[in-house]
């Protein structure tokens, strides 16, 4: 336990009166050299006085410290407090931050994926976790205090219900609602007071600890950035609303020189032997060594963390990113430079909302780093060019008349300095209710003691929705309830039971049934339909699990694009007309293994478990596709042109790996399936171990501190996990078998030209095989371990992949040597083909 930890916990007063609590916490902050801002002081006084607090102050004004003070007050009073945030990464960060302050014994975490020290007096969790606790336990829930961070997510269409439900169901709790962009909160002030019986204090402050200066730039982007750098206004975060645009901007900025030679040397020293993978990794390496960072959600976590830590060390002068910084990128930013004031919202291109603008702009100028912050908006390109032409014309009216003003591109949504001024002056839009009714909501309420009818009536008639919307929710709730009764999941009781229930569940539900892969119970049932002795069993299990994991939409889109491209080429070769080709293309989608069987099983399962209707089954093939193509991560990303989404690809692979480990029971894990799971885990670990490291850190939080301070470390040697490495080698060898079967000699040459096996050498070597046999088998038996021979030696494996010929002679094969040291350095199996021949 750190000295900061012991000093705060030891300051817990024996008598938790407001004055004693405030004095104790003020002593702790003063001891850390922190002087409370007036808004912080006001909020803390209200918190220790047991009032609800709505804290609406600018970014960087110390809301996190108020949250710590709230948890401190709850701990002193023996109350259980919850900290909620919208995303798991923020929950995880707060979990570790609070451990530093209160010690590991006093802090727990629940995200649906992970549960650590779940009985602790302080719990960090996603909003959905607390909402389900509130639904299941109602007013009796063990929640004495709720600190809801980023409360503006209340208005999110799909998830806002989770921020609303605790307000409706926890009348005994003290609430601290926090955000920099809440807008008018008078409704919440009255509503909280009515429901909890506590007074509700609204603490607002337009005064930022670091004042902002706003500017509209009519200079070209390069000039604007150069001016900011030369004017001492770095670090500059350039905001884009598309990942591709952020990367393109960073590459374009290589023509300017934001860093001195000494700064570049310091960057190189800080990076050290950090492993940049092929593809985007090589691009990022070149950029950061030049002093330019890139930051967006599609990047690998290790790359985002590298950029953040280089920025925290003051080594990056420019970061090109997306608006992800609006949800808490933890880097010092002096200037936020908007590349536009419009964004595509999935439906149309539109102007930024005031809340979106203030959320992003507020990241400029961080307390403790800067005395000033700057927000600059770049004028549209055609406006900049027109301004430049006018400047060139000077005061000459003739030259001005001759200027041909450039027009905006067709369909362009324009913004002006007036748009900018309005956003600066505008308050965030009022938060709109987004209440929803689901099967899991009813199941949770029915499972609690008491009269479920009254509890649901309260939820449905006393929420924040309009009356017409409430009527719609009531009708949906009735329909869900009837389906649950018809399925036998819920039964009516002739008279109330000992706990006052008029209806009860006939099944037991685990606490997180609706949170952590809600279709996992279906996956368990579907696995029982498979034949464990079938050669396709391991991949069929993967397909079942993949159908229950969230869709990686960019991957599926690229799979469909590629499938349609191949189909068009094949149809053209067959001579089909354009109209016929277009009609047939509509039927082509991304691969969906076991689709028919899965949907039939889902429909059957749903009859007895109607709540699964809340969650769509989605057959797809990403892990399976990668395995069947015998590709490593880099090859797969390149094959589908997913360089800008490789972080999303990796997270999907990690989530599937975690689901396979925890969903498939041990008795269903055959040796080939266990090999596949080990392969997937090692693949994820070698690409970026930070996701799996984070899971381990959650289990052992006290061991994380040194790792947090350091730049991301490399994964363990890939050869250390021999089981997984054997599968990696088998896949590398089978990749060559598949290409040989398709007579794809050019692709084989790309793989092995470095070891003397170009396309011509491969074609010559296989000519004799195809003289004897019509084809090379590529089915499950062909890729099985029985056809791969491995001879281990010091520093090298000698392997032979036997070809599966139609006659079953098994006398042809591909021989190779696997360099273990090179494999460890690359994080993948590095092999050199030595022979392709008949024994």
């Amino acid at each position: 336990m750190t000295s900061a930890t012991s000093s705060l916990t030891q300051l817990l007063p024996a008598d938790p009166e407001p004055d004693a609590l405030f004095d104790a916490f003020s002593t702790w902050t003063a001891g850390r050299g922190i002087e409370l801002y007036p808004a912080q002081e006001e909020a803390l006084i209200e918190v220790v006085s047991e009032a609800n607090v709505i804290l609406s102050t600018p970014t960087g004004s110390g809301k996190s410290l108020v949250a710590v003070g709230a948890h401190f007050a709850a701990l002193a009073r023996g109350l259980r407090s919850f900290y909620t945030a919208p995303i798991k990464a923020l929950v995880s960060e707060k979990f570790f931050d609070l451990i530093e302050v209160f010690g590991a014994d006093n802090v727990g975490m629940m995200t649906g994926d992970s549960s650590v020290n779940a009985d602790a007096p302080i719990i960090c969790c996603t909003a959905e976790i607390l909402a389900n606790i509130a639904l299941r336990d109602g007013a009796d829930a063990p929640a004495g205090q709720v600190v809801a961070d980023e409360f503006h997510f209340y208005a999110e269409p799909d998830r806002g219900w989770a921020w609303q439900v605790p307000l409706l169901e926890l009348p005994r709790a003290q609430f601290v609602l926090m955000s920099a962009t809440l807008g008018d909160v008078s409704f919440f002030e009255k509503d909280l007071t009515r429901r909890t019986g506590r007074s509700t204090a609204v603490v607002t402050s337009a005064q930022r600890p670091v004042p902002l200066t706003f500017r509209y730039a009519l200079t070209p982007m390069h000039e604007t950035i150069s001016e900011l750098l030369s004017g001492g206004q770095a670090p500059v975060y350039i905001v884009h609303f598309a990942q591709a645009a952020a990367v393109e901007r960073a590459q374009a900025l290589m023509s300017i020189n934001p860093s001195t030679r000494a700064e570049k040397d310091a960057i190189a020293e800080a990076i050290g032997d950090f492993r940049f993978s092929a593809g985007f990794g090589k691009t990022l390496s070149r950029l950061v060594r030049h002093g330019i960072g890139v930051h967006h959600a599609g990047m690998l976590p290790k790359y985002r963390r590298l950029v953040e830590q280089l920025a925290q060390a003051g080594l990056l002068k420019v970061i090109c990113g997306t608006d992800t910084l609006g949800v808490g990128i933890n880097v010092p930013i002096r200037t936020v430079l908007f590349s536009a004031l419009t964004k595509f919202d999935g439906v149309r291109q539109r102007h930024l909302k005031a809340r979106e603008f203030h959320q992003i702009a507020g990241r400029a100028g961080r307390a403790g780093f800067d005395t000033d912050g700057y927000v600059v908006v770049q004028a549209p390109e055609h406006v900049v060019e027109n301004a430049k032409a006018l400047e060139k014309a000077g005061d000459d009216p003739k030259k001005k008349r001759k200027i041909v003003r450039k027009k905006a591109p067709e369909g362009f949504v324009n913004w002006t300095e007036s748009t900018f001024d309005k956003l600066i002056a505008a308050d965030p839009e009022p938060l709109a209710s987004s209440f929803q009714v689901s099967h899991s909501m009813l199941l949770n309420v029915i499972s609690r003691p008491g009269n479920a009818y009254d509890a649901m009536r309260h939820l449905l008639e006393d929420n924040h929705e309009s009356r017409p919307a409430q009527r719609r929710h009531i009708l949906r709730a009735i329909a869900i309830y009837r389906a649950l009764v018809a399925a036998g999941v819920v039964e009516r009781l002739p008279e109330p039971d000992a706990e006052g229930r008029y209806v009860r569940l006939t099944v037991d539900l685990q606490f997180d049934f609706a949170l952590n892969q809600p279709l996992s119970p279906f996956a368990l049932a579907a696995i029982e339909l498979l034949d464990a002795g079938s050669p396709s069993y391991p991949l069929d299990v993967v397909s079942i699990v993949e159908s229950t994991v969230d869709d990686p939409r960019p991957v599926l889109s690229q799979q469909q694009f590629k499938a349609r491209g191949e189909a068009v080429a094949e149809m053209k070769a067959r001579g089909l007309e354009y109209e016929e080709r277009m009609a047939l293309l509509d039927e082509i989608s991304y691969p969906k293994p076991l689709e028919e069987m899965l949907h039939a099983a889902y429909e059957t399962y749903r009859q007895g478990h109607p709540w699964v209707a809340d969650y769509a089954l989605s057959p797809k093939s990403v892990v399976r596709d990668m395995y069947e193509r015998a590709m490593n991560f880099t090859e797969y990303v390149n094959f589908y042109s997913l360089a800008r989404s490789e972080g999303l690809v990796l997270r999907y692979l990690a989530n599937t790996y975690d689901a396979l480990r925890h969903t498939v029971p041990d008795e269903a894990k055959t040796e080939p399936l266990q090999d596949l799971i080990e392969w997937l885990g090692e693949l994820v670990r070698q690409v970026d171990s930070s996701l799996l490291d984070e899971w381990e850190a959650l289990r052992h939080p006290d061991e994380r501190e040194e790792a947090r301070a350091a730049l991301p470390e490399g994964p363990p040697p890939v050869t250390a996990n021999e089981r997984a490495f054997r599968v990696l080698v088998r896949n590398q060898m089978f990749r060559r078998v598949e290409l040989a079967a398709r007579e794809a000699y050019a692709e084989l040459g790309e793989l092995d030209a470095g070891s003397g096996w170009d396309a011509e050498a491969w074609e010559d070597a296989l000519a004799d095989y195809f003289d004897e046999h019509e084809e090379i088998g590529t089915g499950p038996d062909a890729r099985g371990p029985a056809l791969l021979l491995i001879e281990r030696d010091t520093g090298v494996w000698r392997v032979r992949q036997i070809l599966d010929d139609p006659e079953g002679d098994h006398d042809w094969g591909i021989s190779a040597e696997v360099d273990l040291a090179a494999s460890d350095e690359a994080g993948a199996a590095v092999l050199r083909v030595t022979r392709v021949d008949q024994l």
Side-chain angles (χ1 to χ4, degrees), residues 121-392:
I122 301 171
I123 294 293
C124 301
C125 64
T126 53
E128 284 83 355
I129 288 283
L130 179 61
N132 277 277
I133 291 173
L135 289 170
R136 179 160 293 198
D137 296 333
D140 294 328
Q145 181 193 84
V146 174
V147 178
D149 203 357
E150 307 289 353
F151 186 72
H152 57 274
F153 272 77
Y154 168 96
E156 285 288 304
D158 295 330
R159 300 181 60 205
W161 68 272
W163 275 261
Q164 184 171 161
V165 162
L167 307 183
L168 308 179
E169 292 293 290
L170 302 177
R172 299 172 192 161
Q174 176 190 30
F175 286 91
V176 180
L177 312 181
M178 307 192 306
S179 172
T181 54
L182 287 178
D184 180 8
V185 295
S186 55
F187 167 80
F188 295 101
E189 180 184 6
K190 295 171 186 173
D191 188 70
L192 275 176
T193 297
R194 174 176 71 86
R195 293 177 187 277
T196 65
R198 302 170 186 265
S199 62
T200 300
V202 177
V203 180
T204 61
S205 172
Q207 185 67 39
R208 286 176 49 92
V210 178
L212 293 182
T213 300
F214 297 91
R215 178 164 73 89
Y216 191 71
L218 286 164
T219 48
M221 178 67 88
H222 272 50
E223 289 183 27
T224 303
I225 294 168
S226 296
E227 287 176 16
L228 293 171
L229 293 173
S230 61
Q233 295 175 36
V236 181
Y237 193 105
I238 310 175
V239 182
H240 305 78
F241 296 97
Q243 295 173 2
V247 177
E248 288 167 9
R249 179 80 63 197
Q251 291 174 315
L253 292 177
M254 289 291 288
S255 60
I256 68 174
N257 210 6
S259 302
T260 64
R261 180 70 261 167
E263 288 168 336
K264 290 179 181 178
D265 290 342
I267 291 170
E269 184 178 353
I271 291 173
D273 57 359
F274 178 87
R275 183 194 288 171
F276 291 95
S277 306
F280 178 71
K282 300 302 180 187
T283 299
L284 182 64
S285 175
R286 188 174 70 255
L287 290 169
V288 294
R289 293 177 195 280
H290 197 67
I292 300 169
V294 176
H295 194 283
H296 62 71
M299 293 167 59
L300 292 177
K302 67 177 182 181
Y303 293 156
R304 288 203 306 273
R305 185 178 165 205
L306 173 69
V307 169
E308 289 168 11
Q309 294 195 334
L310 289 174
Q312 286 164 354
L315 297 174
L316 297 181
K317 300 295 181 64
V318 178
I319 302 173
C320 298
T322 58
D323 52 340
T324 51
L325 90 161
V327 287
I329 172 178
N330 185 26
V331 299
I333 299 166
R334 192 165 195 197
T335 300
V336 169
L337 171 56
F338 285 83
S339 62
L341 288 178
T342 60
K343 68 181 291 186
F344 183 71
D345 62 6
V347 178
R348 61 188 176 87
Q349 195 78 15
R350 61 164 174 81
H351 287 121
L352 294 183
K353 295 177 181 177
R355 173 169 288 107
E356 293 168 330
F357 173 77
H358 288 296
Q359 196 71 28
I360 300 167
R363 296 292 167 184
R366 301 305 299 266
F369 291 100
D370 303 307
T371 55
D372 302 279
Y374 302 90
V375 178
V376 181
V377 167
Q378 185 70 24
E381 192 173 321
H382 68 280
V383 175
V384 171
E385 291 189 23
N386 290 337
K388 201 169 185 179
L390 282 170
E391 184 183 3
K392 190 175 182 181

Side-chain angles (χ1 to χ4, degrees), residues 488-510:
V489 176
V490 170
E491 66 176 5
R492 301 184 184 94
L493 300 176
E495 58 184 38
D497 65 11
E499 294 186 300
R501 293 186 179 90
Y502 286 85
V503 291
R504 69 179 178 89
L505 299 181
T506 61
V507 296
D508 291 327
L509 300 175
Q510 71 271 27

Side-chain angles (χ1 to χ4, degrees), residues 376-583:
V376 181
V377 167
Q378 185 70 24
E381 192 173 321
H382 68 280
V383 175
V384 171
E385 291 189 23
N386 290 337
K388 201 169 185 179
L390 282 170
E391 184 183 3
K392 190 175 182 181
D395 296 328
D396 189 331
K398 290 183 179 179
K399 289 182 179 179
K400 284 184 177 181
R401 282 196 299 272
K402 289 181 180 179
I403 293 174
V404 179
R405 294 180 181 272
K406 188 168 184 180
K407 295 181 180 179
E410 189 174 345
F412 182 78
V413 177
N414 197 29
W415 68 91
T416 64
E417 189 167 7
S418 174
T419 312
F420 183 33
D421 291 338
K422 287 176 183 175
L423 285 170
I424 295 170
D427 290 328
E429 298 79 6
L431 295 173
S433 172
S434 50
F435 187 80
Q436 291 181 8
V437 175
S438 65
H439 287 76
S440 60
M441 175 179 283
L442 265 72
L443 288 166
N444 274 317
V445 171
I446 291 170
S447 70
R448 77 166 80 151
N451 189 328
Y453 297 116
D454 289 344
M456 278 307 301
R457 185 177 296 112
H458 163 71
L459 259 177
L460 294 168
E461 296 184 349
D462 193 23
N463 54 47
H464 298 165
E465 298 279 280
S466 67
R467 189 56 189 162
Q470 287 179 349
R471 290 192 191 100
R472 291 194 297 273
H473 296 316
I474 289 169
L475 291 174
R476 173 161 168 75
I478 291 170
I480 292 173
Y481 172 72
R482 287 173 176 167
L484 292 171
V485 172
V489 176
V490 170
E491 66 176 5
R492 301 184 184 94
L493 300 176
E495 58 184 38
D497 65 11
E499 294 186 300
R501 293 186 179 90
Y502 286 85
V503 291
R504 69 179 178 89
L505 299 181
T506 61
V507 296
D508 291 327
L509 300 175
Q510 71 271 27
F511 169 73
D512 57 354
F513 82 99
L515 297 167
N516 184 14
Q517 304 305 345
L519 290 177
S520 292
F522 161 75
L524 277 174
I527 288 170
E528 294 178 2
L529 302 176
L530 301 178
D531 175 8
S534 168
S536 66
Y537 174 77
L539 289 172
D540 289 344
V541 171
V542 169
S543 290
I544 289 173
V545 170
E546 284 200 80
S547 73
T548 69
V549 179
D550 289 343
D551 287 351
R553 296 198 178 279
V555 184
L556 304 186
S557 176
Q558 286 299 100
Q559 285 181 330
Q560 179 170 285
F561 178 78
K562 198 168 191 69
R564 289 183 172 182
E566 292 169 354
V568 166
E570 189 268 335
M571 286 187 280
K572 283 182 177 178
R574 286 165 47 200
L576 297 184
E577 295 297 326
Y578 175 81
E579 290 78 9
E580 192 175 359
R581 295 200 305 266
M582 292 303 100

Side-chain angles (χ1 to χ4, degrees), residues 656-670:
T656 306
Y657 168 63
D658 198 43
L660 281 166
R661 286 199 305 166
H662 293 112
T663 299
V664 183
D666 289 341
E667 59 270 21
K669 290 178 181 173
T670 61

